[in-house]
Amino acid sequence: MINIGIVGYGNLAKGVECAIRQNPDMALKAVFTRRDPTKVQIQTPDVPVVSVEEAELWKDRIDVMILCAGSATDLPEMTPEFARSFHVIDSFDTHANIPAHYQAVDAAASQSGHIAVISVGWDPGLFSVNRLYASAILPQGQDYTFWGKGVSQGHSDAVRRLPGVLDCRQYTIPVPEAMDAVRSGAQPQLTTRQKHTRYCYVVAEEGADKAAIEQAIKTMPNYFADYDTTVEFITAEEMKRSHSGLPHGGSVIRSGITGWNGENRQTIEYKLTLDSNPQFTASVLVACARAAMRMAYRGVSGCRTIFDIAPADLSMLSREEMLAHML
Amino acid sequence: MINIGIVGYGNLAKGVECAIRQNPDMALKAVFTRRDPTKVQIQTPDVPVVSVEEAELWKDRIDVMILCAGSATDLPEMTPEFARSFHVIDSFDTHANIPAHYQAVDAAASQSGHIAVISVGWDPGLFSVNRLYASAILPQGQDYTFWGKGVSQGHSDAVRRLPGVLDCRQYTIPVPEAMDAVRSGAQPQLTTRQKHTRYCYVVAEEGADKAAIEQAIKTMPNYFADYDTTVEFITAEEMKRSHSGLPHGGSVIRSGITGWNGENRQTIEYKLTLDSNPQFTASVLVACARAAMRMAYRGVSGCRTIFDIAPADLSMLSREEMLAHML
């Protein structure tokens, strides 16, 4: 039995709680919160909610701590800190800062003799490992990543911060013609605008200047300026009725060539279609918690990523079952 | 530099030869054949073709031997035998016999202190490892494998053995409606007939009884009887012009549910579209040869599969490059 602690209790943590229930070799031992623990109601019966200040006291009762916190300010502090006392898993997803995060976590985890698996989820995570497999198998080729159709929480938040906006749900949508061109093996060069469009459902304050909001969205640098963006104003009721889920997904495609003269096209595509982005991400975190325990048991310590995990370590199946039914 | 030997020189071996050329950290040292070596002409300049009887003499010059031979009778003998003197990679693909093959190879490789990676390619191989990842991440779900559109060499050979048949190319074709149903997350129960159709292009002898050939194909047990099969007679010229390639591919799809009450559908699809089946399989073998060398360097010995290979070991990239560009 692998004893799991969860730090945080937002959407991702709730997904981890659900995923643990699907894995009979795991048990949730406690949820740690920065809020007042008496005010946090979790779904699993008979599992305590504890102040994060008291986490250290749970050292001997928890095998792996799954850190469900933000990449911007929380995880850069939290992951190294927790790696001093626990095996940890995080979903750090600021791609540009991964090397620095890796260094900080590796220093802490190596010193304490724990294992820390960082940047787990689907991107980074499953998409990354598929990029790695595909590039190792087809050294001469090109990678493409398409996201969506799905809700980007970062883009939705950026619109919500505009004056006059009450709520927003931003969908990232891959351009079908671009995907078709990539899948054909033609290895096209694609601009940002050619790969994805963005669609914003916006609830505006009464009397707000809708034209100004639309203009502010479409010209927002980094977030929207490089894309063809559509803005649609809807009511709060419509938002609640039609856009309360957090679907997402996407495809990683490598298009390569083989043969003595590169005469054959080979295409590898890995595609996710997700009703719930946080629950799926959580499911990856939980599988990696199992792998972390197994690696720790073999004496591995320090920072690792999904690149370092032998797939067999993720699975509940025995070697005999894998050979007979999976290979 | 990783020094590679190839045993055999059929389509798969020729693909390995091409793949080595795409991997600058590898060198082809020799091709070993059961034929008269003077009658085998390979593509790589200045590389010797040697009788397989003399392989043992190359023990110190070859790091990994890639065994390109048949699963029916060759590999069950060959892989354990070569594992006594070399690190080896094979593409053993008789799914039902994998556990027995594993045992035999593991005994030989463990005793000699070599590593043997068996059943590498795309199915078994990449499809297998994707089944494993997906089932570990979505424990509540169902797996589906679709093959094609592509040439099945086993089915083509079966038709070629019929009286009156000069040549055949058999395409396995997934049923689009079945794939759509699976991709929707509906988790349908599908019969063999509902998942794939078969299409045979046949060159018949002059004066052959075409109706009898068609009937013999469509009722052939195991190969065709459980499928809707179409038979089309073409000329030898048409066969050469339109069907000389060996395209293949397929999809592994896992459709699962997450959430406290299983309320969200999550779908993972891994899809290959291959102009050349043997060249792609060969590319997987070559990447696994790199991983085998790295694992051997760390002291690993015995039989392993793609389930046991940490993805990082397949890649030419350094850890720093992976963290910065792949994760």
Side-chain angles (χ1 to χ4, degrees):
Chain A
M1 212 65 175
I2 304 170
N3 298 312
I4 306 280
I6 300 175
V7 179
Y9 199 64
N11 282 334
L12 181 60
K14 287 174 189 168
V16 170
E17 187 182 16
C18 293
I20 290 170
R21 209 168 162 229
Q22 291 185 320
N23 287 277
D25 60 341
M26 299 200 182
L28 177 60
K29 285 290 152 179
V31 170
F32 299 89
T33 180
R34 287 178 289 194
R35 291 180 268 167
D36 174 353
T38 62
K39 300 211 168 116
V40 176
Q41 179 68 47
I42 69 167
Q43 293 181 92
T44 314
D46 306 323
V47 167
V49 179
V50 182
S51 166
V52 76
E53 306 294 326
E54 292 172 27
E56 186 74 18
L57 303 173
W58 287 73
K59 248 180 107 150
D60 300 327
R61 282 172 283 176
I62 285 173
D63 296 316
V64 185
M65 203 66 109
I66 301 183
L67 309 177
C68 300
S71 297
T73 55
D74 293 338
L75 292 175
E77 303 269 318
M78 192 185 272
T79 310
E81 192 188 311
F82 274 85
R84 287 188 191 99
S85 307
F86 299 93
H87 304 306
V88 297
I89 312 290
D90 83 17
S91 61
F92 186 81
D93 67 358
T94 313
H95 289 261
N97 298 340
I98 286 174
H101 187 58
Y102 180 91
Q103 292 300 335
V105 174
D106 192 48
S110 298
Q111 213 202 337
S112 72
H114 289 94
I115 181 163
V117 184
I118 62 161
S119 299
V120 169
W122 56 276
D123 194 7
L126 296 175
F127 272 18
S128 321
V129 82
N130 273 282
R131 283 188 278 264
L132 193 72
Y133 275 108
S135 69
I137 291 158
L138 298 173
Q140 290 180 14
Q142 205 162 329
D143 286 321
Y144 298 86
T145 304
F146 291 96
W147 293 274
K149 184 185 174 180
V151 174
S152 162
Q153 298 188 257
H155 287 77
S156 301
D157 289 343
V159 173
R160 269 188 221 109
R161 285 191 293 264
L162 292 174
V165 171
L166 289 174
D167 199 3
C168 173
R169 200 71 86 252
Q170 193 272 183
Y171 291 87
T172 306
I173 305 165
V175 175
E177 293 75 18
M179 295 194 79
D180 289 346
V182 169
R183 285 176 178 145
S184 78
Q187 299 195 19
Q189 295 296 324
L190 297 167
T191 63
T192 299
R193 193 177 300 273
Q194 286 171 321
K195 286 179 69 189
H196 296 92
T197 56
R198 299 194 177 277
Y199 203 106
C200 301
Y201 294 96
V202 178
V203 180
E205 285 172 12
E206 217 180 292
D209 181 346
K210 290 182 178 173
I213 291 172
E214 182 168 342
Q215 179 67 7
I217 294 172
K218 290 185 172 178
T219 56
M220 198 185 293
N222 302 319
Y223 286 90
F224 294 99
D226 297 335
Y227 299 85
D228 290 336
T229 302
T230 306
V231 177
E232 183 178 339
F233 291 93
I234 60 174
T235 63
E237 294 70 45
E238 173 68 16
M239 180 67 84
K240 198 172 171 194
R241 189 167 57 242
S242 305
H243 305 287
S244 56
L246 290 169
H248 217 314
S251 287
V252 166
I253 305 175
R254 186 165 178 91
S255 171
I257 52 171
T258 63
W260 197 254
N261 299 304
E263 62 274 22
N264 286 309
R265 291 177 175 186
Q266 317 274 22
T267 305
I268 303 174
E269 175 168 356
Y270 182 77
K271 185 176 184 209
L272 298 175
T273 311
L274 310 175
D275 273 0
S276 167
N277 179 357
Q279 284 177 7
F280 187 79
T281 302
S283 297
V284 186
L285 290 165
V286 166
C288 288
R290 176 181 296 118
M293 269 313 287
R294 296 202 180 145
M295 293 165 81
Y297 188 77
R298 294 196 297 267
V300 175
S301 67
C303 190
R304 293 293 186 278
T305 72
I306 198 160
F307 298 153
D308 306 303
I309 296 176
D313 280 332
L314 296 167
S315 174
M316 268 184 281
L317 298 177
S318 69
R319 171 168 297 273
E320 289 67 34
E321 288 170 316
M322 282 181 212
L323 292 178
H325 305 301
M326 288 272 149
L327 199 63
Chain B
M1 214 63 174
I2 304 170
N3 298 313
I4 307 280
I6 300 175
V7 179
Y9 199 64
N11 282 333
L12 181 61
K14 287 174 188 168
V16 170
E17 187 182 17
C18 293
I20 289 169
R21 210 170 163 226
Q22 291 186 320
N23 287 277
D25 60 341
M26 299 198 182
L28 177 61
K29 285 290 151 180
V31 170
F32 299 89
T33 181
R34 287 178 290 194
R35 292 180 268 169
D36 174 352
T38 63
K39 298 209 169 119
V40 176
Q41 179 67 46
I42 69 168
Q43 294 181 92
T44 314
D46 307 323
V47 167
V49 178
V50 183
S51 165
V52 76
E53 307 294 326
E54 292 173 28
E56 187 73 18
L57 303 172
W58 288 73
K59 247 179 106 151
D60 301 327
R61 282 172 282 177
I62 284 174
D63 295 315
V64 185
M65 204 65 111
I66 300 183
L67 309 177
C68 300
S71 297
T73 55
D74 293 338
L75 292 175
E77 302 270 320
M78 192 185 273
T79 310
E81 192 189 311
F82 275 85
R84 288 189 191 96
S85 307
F86 299 93
H87 304 306
V88 297
I89 313 288
D90 83 17
S91 60
F92 185 82
D93 66 357
T94 312
H95 288 261
N97 298 341
I98 287 174
H101 187 58
Y102 180 92
Q103 292 299 334
V105 175
D106 192 49
S110 297
Q111 214 202 337
S112 72
H114 288 95
I115 182 165
V117 184
I118 62 161
S119 298
V120 168
W122 58 276
D123 194 8
L126 296 175
F127 272 18
S128 321
V129 82
N130 273 282
R131 283 189 278 264
L132 192 72
Y133 274 109
S135 69
I137 291 158
L138 297 174
Q140 291 181 14
Q142 206 162 328
D143 285 321
Y144 299 86
T145 303
F146 292 96
W147 293 274
K149 184 185 174 179
V151 173
S152 163
Q153 298 187 258
H155 287 77
S156 301
D157 289 344
V159 173
R160 269 188 220 109
R161 285 191 293 265
L162 292 174
V165 171
L166 289 174
D167 199 3
C168 172
R169 201 71 86 251
Q170 192 272 182
Y171 291 87
T172 306
I173 305 165
V175 175
E177 294 74 18
M179 295 194 80
D180 289 346
V182 169
R183 285 176 178 146
S184 77
Q187 298 196 20
Q189 295 296 324
L190 297 166
T191 63
T192 298
R193 193 176 299 274
Q194 285 170 321
K195 286 179 69 188
H196 297 92
T197 56
R198 299 194 177 278
Y199 203 107
C200 300
Y201 293 96
V202 178
V203 180
E205 284 172 11
E206 217 179 294
D209 181 345
K210 290 183 178 174
I213 291 173
E214 182 168 342
Q215 178 68 5
I217 294 173
K218 290 185 172 179
T219 57
M220 197 186 292
N222 302 321
Y223 285 91
F224 294 99
D226 298 333
Y227 299 84
D228 290 337
T229 302
T230 307
V231 177
E232 182 178 339
F233 291 93
I234 60 174
T235 63
E237 295 70 44
E238 173 68 17
M239 181 67 85
K240 198 173 172 194
R241 190 168 56 241
S242 305
H243 306 285
S244 57
L246 290 169
H248 218 314
S251 287
V252 167
I253 305 176
R254 186 165 178 92
S255 172
I257 52 170
T258 62
W260 196 253
N261 299 304
E263 63 274 21
N264 286 309
R265 292 176 175 186
Q266 317 275 21
T267 305
I268 303 174
E269 176 168 355
Y270 183 77
K271 185 176 185 209
L272 298 175
T273 311
L274 310 175
D275 272 1
S276 166
N277 179 357
Q279 284 177 6
F280 187 80
T281 302
S283 298
V284 185
L285 290 165
V286 166
C288 288
R290 176 181 297 117
M293 269 312 287
R294 296 204 181 144
M295 293 166 81
Y297 188 78
R298 295 197 297 267
V300 175
S301 67
C303 189
R304 293 292 187 278
T305 72
I306 198 162
F307 298 153
D308 306 303
I309 296 176
D313 280 333
L314 296 166
S315 175
M316 268 184 280
L317 298 177
S318 69
R319 171 168 297 273
E320 289 66 34
E321 288 170 315
M322 283 182 211
L323 291 178
H325 305 301
M326 287 274 150
L327 201 62

